[in-house]
Amino acid sequence: NAGVTQTPKFRVLKTGQSMTLLCAQDMNHEYMYWYRQDPGMGLRLIHYSVGEGTTAKGEVPDGYNVSRLKKQNFLLGLESAAPSQTSVYFCASSYQTADTGELFFGEGSRLTVL
Amino acid sequence: AQSVTQLGSHVSVSEGALVLLRCNYSSSVPPYLFWYVQYPNQGLQLLLKYTTGATLVKGINGFEAEFKKSETSFHLTKPSAHMSDAAEYFCAVRKPNTGRRALTFGSGTRLQVQP
């Protein structure tokens, strides 16, 4: 039972490069989220999706884009990476029909922008 | 908007001692409250949650927390610390019955357990 899987787990970019982080969940969850984690700041919501084909901005969306073409996948894109985007990125998902409140997290993707 | 304050970014206890991690929240309505644990180089794992009902909730690994509305608190406790409890702990909050179900997290408390 894989749960939430993120790829890649590690990546180093140069300023201005682009990349995409992939999140896949096999729990048939409607809701999916991208957070970034920085020391002393906890987790901050970048974007989220309440279903296939829908996306919405979170607290820190600037510099990121997302897509939810398939229910099980949620992609996070950086079009022109900046050093301020060096962080650990977490994807999460949750139920729609049963509002248990819980989010299920992937293991994270560590991104370094030089 | 909801917010979460975790008092103390680092807490150190001796093995066998009481663990107390503090969390205070701000919310216009009684919220859902959560504690997550993150072990090194891993994702977040749910320890326990309060949604409705009994205000004292028990979680995994011997942890529990009590929702105190009058104090707007949801402190995490464990009677006796174990070396394996060393990790970072996050308190989180959200409003119930909303379309957006994202959690708002505190800044985290790193727990160190001394032998």
Side-chain angles (χ1 to χ4, degrees):
Chain A
N1 187 8
V4 179
T5 304
Q6 295 180 225
T7 53
K9 290 186 168 40
F10 301 92
R11 185 74 187 268
V12 178
L13 289 178
K14 294 181 179 178
T15 297
Q17 288 185 319
S18 64
M19 74 158 296
T20 300
L21 297 177
L22 170 63
C23 177
Q25 52 94 4
D26 62 2
M27 297 174 283
N28 202 33
H29 287 170
E30 286 289 341
Y31 291 68
M32 296 187 75
Y33 316 83
W34 276 107
Y35 286 87
R36 60 177 289 173
Q37 182 182 25
D38 301 290
M41 303 187 75
L43 280 77
R44 294 179 291 168
L45 183 66
I46 305 171
H47 286 280
Y48 65 100
S49 168
V50 300
E52 181 179 320
T54 73
T55 63
K57 294 180 180 180
E59 302 161 357
V60 290
D62 293 343
Y64 305 96
N65 57 77
V66 288
S67 64
R68 184 96 181 271
L69 299 179
K70 294 183 178 181
K71 183 178 181 179
Q72 64 268 32
N73 296 338
F74 194 28
L75 279 65
L76 178 70
L78 286 71
E79 289 188 349
S80 180
S84 61
Q85 294 177 304
T86 293
S87 187
V88 181
Y89 292 86
F90 286 98
C91 177
S93 67
S94 66
Y95 294 106
Q96 176 195 29
T97 53
D99 187 10
T100 63
E102 178 179 357
L103 299 190
F104 296 82
F105 283 85
E107 293 192 344
S109 298
R110 184 175 296 274
L111 174 65
T112 301
V113 183
L114 303 175
Chain B
Q2 310 100 65
S3 66
V4 177
T5 301
Q6 291 185 240
L7 295 176
S9 59
H10 290 80
V11 170
S12 182
V13 301
S14 298
E15 192 173 18
L18 172 71
V19 176
L20 171 60
L21 304 183
R22 300 178 185 273
C23 173
N24 288 89
Y25 68 88
S26 172
S27 177
S28 57
V29 298
Y32 288 174
L33 292 158
F34 307 81
W35 276 99
Y36 279 82
V37 60
Q38 183 182 30
Y39 299 103
N41 299 314
Q42 294 188 24
L44 278 71
Q45 177 183 0
L46 182 69
L47 265 182
L48 49 79
K49 66 181 179 183
Y50 169 79
T51 54
T52 59
T55 56
L56 180 63
V57 293
K58 296 185 184 299
I60 61 172
N61 301 336
F63 284 92
E64 62 182 37
E66 186 171 11
F67 169 56
K68 292 187 176 181
K69 183 179 178 181
S70 61
E71 299 177 7
T72 61
S73 68
F74 192 56
H75 301 331
L76 181 70
T77 61
K78 182 174 180 178
S80 177
H82 191 273
M83 296 296 290
S84 61
D85 294 327
E88 189 154 21
Y89 293 80
F90 293 93
C91 183
V93 65
R94 62 160 271 228
K95 287 173 69 173
N97 303 319
T98 61
R100 166 179 152 163
R101 297 187 181 176
L103 302 185
T104 298
F105 286 86
S107 55
T109 298
R110 186 168 298 279
L111 176 66
Q112 187 176 22
V113 182
Q114 307 280 5

